[in-house]
Amino acid sequence: MRIHLDHNATTPVCPEAASAMRRVLLEEFGNPSSVALEGARARALVEAAREDVARLLGAAPDHVRFTSGATEANNTLLFGLLAPGDHVVTTQVEHPSVSAPLEALAMRGVSVDRIAPDADGCVPLAALEAAIRPETRLVCVIWANNETGAIQPIPELAALCRARGLWLHADATQAIGKLPVDLAAVAVDSIASSAHKLGGPKGIGALIAREQKTIRPLLVGGGQERGLRGGTENVIGIAGYGAACRAVAAEGPERERALRTLRDRLWQGIEQGIAGVRWNGGPATTLPNTLNVEFEGVAGEVLLQALDLEGIAVSAGAACHSGSVEPSKILLAMGRTPEEARASLRFSVGQGVDAGQIERVIERLCVLVPRIRGLGAP
Ligand SMILES: Cc1ncc(COP(=O)(O)O)c(C=O)c1O
């Protein structure tokens, strides 16, 4: 059986979500906008899932707007809110679903300040605060990074933004299900969420925003999602997303503890068994399931492929473009050299990973890393 240590890329659909989706797929084909009984039943499913998502996040159900995922949620918020002349404070460690729209908006006259992280990937609160100007319209900061798991100071930043009357948007895609994300306690104005990172299906997520009147929709026609997102709702996906949120909520803090135990043992095994390794982050500032490690002198993509052949799935921050391996922009922003970034791999644990699998991964790494080093420099 393969060992999946790439849960930040995606995590398997949980049994609760699978059975909810199966039931809707086979038994509920109504269009939620139809007035007839079939439509009313589909509408009830959508609204029940909206409540499940809202309950997990401490939000009001009316603030939840379903989208095709976090990419669409981030795009909707950024393109829907910003206009030429606006200023945005953001970071150098955003997911491309935030950084790419902001690049496009910068071409249209929005000015964007991207604040650098420290060596652990955390963006200092003082640097974010110092970048705020009178014309700042939005502060946009990822809650926790997908590549390194670095957690940003969202509660403190939310308090600061609230005091100044500034809109704070946080891409919470990786944080949900791994950290408490409670909008009743944290004054963040909007977040993006994606179902497939927490046990739901791919292709569904939500923009959760306290105030929606000022957000222009990306998709118009039909008026669904109170006019914020035209198009017949993905009822099957929505039902799966709601069920996954219920399952995460039912697990409570035990989920976080279990993830942390697996991740910490993995790091301990790597650190004790292999010389020349560095955690790109640290236990106090990183998601409980994520471990990004630099294996000095190793080409990350070679180690990734060697692990893959042994049945172990991990991820390299680096992306392969037309034959050349680009180092991770996130690790470069954290001050790593291109060689150090290329020598780094991400391990992310999740549902279904057990202690025995972690021991097997440690054992294989202790064999593979010296073997690859013996082949020469990356
Ligand atoms: C931090 C973060 N934001 C946004 C996304 C995009 O989510 P989706 O796949 O739902 O579009 C991802 C997925 O990798 C992510 O990790």
Side-chain angles (χ1 to χ4, degrees):
M1 203 178 95
R2 284 184 62 84
I3 300 177
H4 185 67
L5 294 194
D6 200 12
H7 287 260
N8 284 11
T10 198
T11 198
V13 170
C14 67
E16 294 85 346
S19 76
M21 287 191 288
R22 186 170 193 280
R23 193 179 84 69
V24 177
L25 178 66
L26 298 178
E27 296 171 21
E28 302 287 354
F29 65 91
N31 182 331
S33 299
S34 302
V35 176
L37 179 64
E38 290 77 5
R41 288 171 62 122
R43 168 61 51 207
L45 286 165
V46 168
E47 296 314 318
R50 199 184 305 281
E51 285 180 17
D52 292 331
V53 174
R55 200 171 302 115
L56 176 68
L57 301 173
D62 193 40
H63 295 165
V64 177
R65 294 287 168 260
F66 291 115
T67 63
S68 64
T71 299
E72 187 189 322
N74 285 326
N75 273 258
T76 301
L77 188 281
L78 295 168
F79 285 112
L81 195 68
L82 296 169
D86 286 342
H87 173 245
V88 181
V89 177
T90 187
T91 77
Q92 294 179 11
V93 291
E94 297 302 309
H95 185 268
S97 60
V98 165
S99 57
L102 285 176
E103 270 165 40
L105 284 158
M107 307 282 279
R108 300 180 199 171
V110 171
S111 84
V112 183
D113 269 330
R114 300 174 183 84
I115 310 304
D118 64 16
D120 280 345
C122 300
V123 182
L125 189 63
L128 290 162
E129 186 176 14
I132 294 169
R133 303 183 203 156
E135 68 273 26
T136 302
R137 174 82 178 93
L138 178 71
V139 178
C140 178
V141 174
I142 193 167
W143 202 308
N145 182 264
N146 43 302
E147 285 185 36
T148 62
I151 301 164
Q152 305 305 336
I154 297 298
E156 297 79 1
L157 188 58
L160 192 152
C161 289
R162 180 59 58 94
R164 294 180 174 221
L166 281 171
W167 187 306
L168 173 63
H169 175 70
D171 177 357
T173 306
Q174 292 291 345
I176 298 169
K178 300 168 192 157
L179 289 179
V181 172
D182 181 3
L183 301 193
V186 177
V188 60
D189 297 282
S190 56
I191 63 170
S193 162
S194 177
H196 74 103
K197 309 289 183 180
L198 51 96
K202 292 161 190 64
I204 188 74
L207 172 64
I208 296 107
R210 292 183 203 270
E211 202 270 289
Q212 308 187 353
K213 286 192 288 292
T214 46
I215 308 174
R216 299 173 297 273
L218 274 188
L219 300 178
V220 289
Q224 286 89 349
E225 295 299 281
R226 301 256 159 79
L228 193 64
R229 206 263 184 181
T232 301
E233 297 87 340
N234 172 0
V235 182
I236 298 166
I238 288 171
Y241 183 20
C245 287
R246 273 203 310 278
V248 169
E251 276 183 73
E254 183 44 42
R255 182 183 169 97
E256 200 179 318
R257 262 199 299 278
L259 295 173
R260 190 181 300 281
T261 302
L262 293 167
R263 191 278 310 274
D264 286 352
R265 170 62 196 138
L266 179 59
W267 172 239
Q268 186 194 40
I270 292 173
E271 201 186 17
Q272 286 175 355
I274 307 171
V277 292
R278 167 161 59 161
W279 182 344
N280 290 316
T285 55
T286 303
L287 285 175
N289 79 318
T290 308
L291 179 65
N292 190 308
V293 180
E294 179 199 338
F295 297 90
E296 200 184 301
V298 170
E301 77 280 6
V302 174
L303 180 55
L304 185 147
Q305 283 167 16
L307 287 167
D308 195 26
L309 289 174
E310 303 243 3
I312 300 163
V314 302
S315 167
C320 201
H321 296 296
S322 29
S324 74
V325 181
E326 294 289 331
S328 151
K329 288 189 181 132
I330 304 295
L331 294 176
L332 294 182
M334 287 161 59
R336 304 299 187 270
T337 64
E339 289 65 37
E340 289 168 344
R342 284 198 193 92
S344 298
L345 286 187
R346 176 186 73 188
F347 303 83
S348 47
V349 302
Q351 299 302 293
V353 177
D354 62 32
Q357 294 182 341
I358 294 293
E359 295 309 318
R360 161 106 185 129
V361 173
I362 294 169
E363 187 250 314
R364 294 322 297 152
L365 282 169
C366 288
V367 171
L368 292 171
V369 170
R371 190 182 291 166
I372 293 169
R373 282 183 178 150
L375 299 174

